[in-house]
Amino acid sequence: MSVTVGMLYPGFGAEDDYPFLEDALGGYARVPLVHTSVGVDAHEVEALLDLGKSERLLEGAAALKASVPDAVMWACTSGSFVFGWEGAHQQVAEIEAALGVPVSSTSLAFVEAVRALRFTTVAVAATYPYDVAQHFAQLLGTAGIEVLELVSHDIKTAALAGELDHDGVLALARSNDSPAAQAILIPDTALHSARWINELEAALGKPVLTANQVTVWQGLRLAGEIHSTDRLGTLFRDAAVLPQ
């Protein structure tokens, strides 16, 4: 059985993570992607509120209908967490009403992934400036997840985050290897990460959750079919729901 999880992905950055994720899942899942419109590419609160506004997401959702998705993800961390806990849920509720299928976002996927692994403490290694990254920590806190340490790298745009290579992503992950944290969270779907999750976990000695990884996992969870795989870190090994 195949399942289709539609992705609403803002602009361009690490969208090539998604074909890799399809392959790593063994071909049972399709993740068609629609690029939603972007006003100003900036890791600034006002720009991110504009990025995640209803008009942009509903326009993208209309384009996804042709893929007949079983579930849909707003594949953006910052463009969801800046709306806060209630706002992030309202954001996906509007898309859900338009498409009639389950919908979530990357920020909410991080919450569900941490809960699925039964963790309560995390560290965050963020690409964003500190004032933006704090909104992510606040959303996690609202969900009952304690952020023990938050490190910000002050990368100004999604495009620049997308330029980080293997060594840059590894250095970012290592920048917040908080010993007491049960997992390291690396938000930003513009950041390449999917190919290196197992390596990141080996380097840090604990689970690592990255934006594109948790986005696909959450979409599959909503669609009701997650196969276990050893290629995508602890999350897909220990928090997969095997089909009956």
Side-chain angles (χ1 to χ4, degrees), residues 6-84:
M7 297 290 161
L8 297 173
Y9 188 90
F12 296 83
E15 64 276 7
D16 53 323
D17 266 7
Y18 289 90
F20 172 83
L21 286 159
E22 278 188 348
D23 180 69
L25 292 169
Y28 79 89
R30 293 179 57 248
V31 287
L33 185 148
V34 166
H35 295 275
T36 59
S37 62
V38 176
V40 177
D41 178 15
H43 284 157
E44 299 171 359
V45 172
E46 288 304 315
L48 294 169
L49 288 170
D50 176 73
L51 180 73
K53 68 183 182 181
S54 297
E55 296 91 329
R56 298 188 191 280
L57 301 188
L58 293 176
E59 179 183 32
L64 266 179
K65 284 184 178 180
S67 299
V68 194
D70 298 293
V72 167
M73 294 296 298
W74 166 222
C76 184
T77 327
S78 56
S80 49
F81 67 62
V82 291
F83 289 85

Side-chain angles (χ1 to χ4, degrees), residues 9 12-16 41 43 127 155 157-166 169 188-193 196:
Y9 188 90
F12 296 83
E15 64 276 7
D16 53 323
D41 178 15
H43 284 157
T127 56
I155 296 176
T157 69
L160 290 172
E163 292 177 4
L164 285 185
D165 60 8
H166 166 276
V169 173
D188 199 343
T189 56
L191 185 75
H192 290 90
S193 64
W196 309 317

Side-chain angles (χ1 to χ4, degrees), residues 4-241:
T4 299
V5 179
M7 297 290 161
L8 297 173
Y9 188 90
F12 296 83
E15 64 276 7
D16 53 323
D17 266 7
Y18 289 90
F20 172 83
L21 286 159
E22 278 188 348
D23 180 69
L25 292 169
Y28 79 89
R30 293 179 57 248
V31 287
L33 185 148
V34 166
H35 295 275
T36 59
S37 62
V38 176
V40 177
D41 178 15
H43 284 157
E44 299 171 359
V45 172
E46 288 304 315
L48 294 169
L49 288 170
D50 176 73
L51 180 73
K53 68 183 182 181
S54 297
E55 296 91 329
R56 298 188 191 280
L57 301 188
L58 293 176
E59 179 183 32
L64 266 179
K65 284 184 178 180
S67 299
V68 194
D70 298 293
V72 167
M73 294 296 298
W74 166 222
C76 184
T77 327
S78 56
S80 49
F81 67 62
V82 291
F83 289 85
W85 181 255
E86 295 298 330
H89 281 86
Q90 178 60 35
Q91 188 180 54
V92 298
E94 291 182 2
I95 305 169
E96 193 166 292
L99 293 179
V101 298
V103 179
S104 188
S105 67
T106 305
S107 292
L108 300 179
F110 271 111
V111 170
E112 294 301 328
V114 172
R115 287 174 171 172
L117 292 168
R118 301 189 179 185
F119 296 155
T120 57
T121 61
V122 301
V124 175
T127 56
Y128 323 111
Y130 186 72
D131 66 316
V132 172
Q134 279 185 306
H135 287 270
F136 184 45
Q138 289 166 6
L139 182 137
L140 294 171
T142 301
I145 299 165
E146 184 180 2
V147 178
L148 297 180
E149 191 169 352
L150 171 64
V151 170
S152 271
H153 285 261
D154 203 27
I155 296 176
K156 303 296 186 183
T157 69
L160 290 172
E163 292 177 4
L164 285 185
D165 60 8
H166 166 276
D167 291 346
V169 173
L170 183 59
L172 185 145
R174 282 177 165 156
S175 73
N176 200 5
D177 187 7
S178 178
Q182 293 168 292
I184 308 298
L185 275 52
I186 306 177
D188 199 343
T189 56
L191 185 75
H192 290 90
S193 64
R195 292 167 175 79
W196 309 317
I197 294 169
N198 285 347
E199 185 177 349
L200 295 175
E201 292 194 338
L204 275 67
K206 65 182 60 178
V208 175
L209 302 179
T210 72
N212 291 324
Q213 171 209 35
V214 301
T215 299
V216 170
W217 175 87
Q218 172 76 336
L220 293 171
R221 189 184 75 85
L222 293 178
E225 188 168 347
I226 308 176
H227 293 219
S228 180
T229 175
D230 290 328
R231 296 181 64 186
L232 297 172
T234 300
L235 180 64
F236 271 91
R237 187 180 65 250
D238 294 353
V241 179

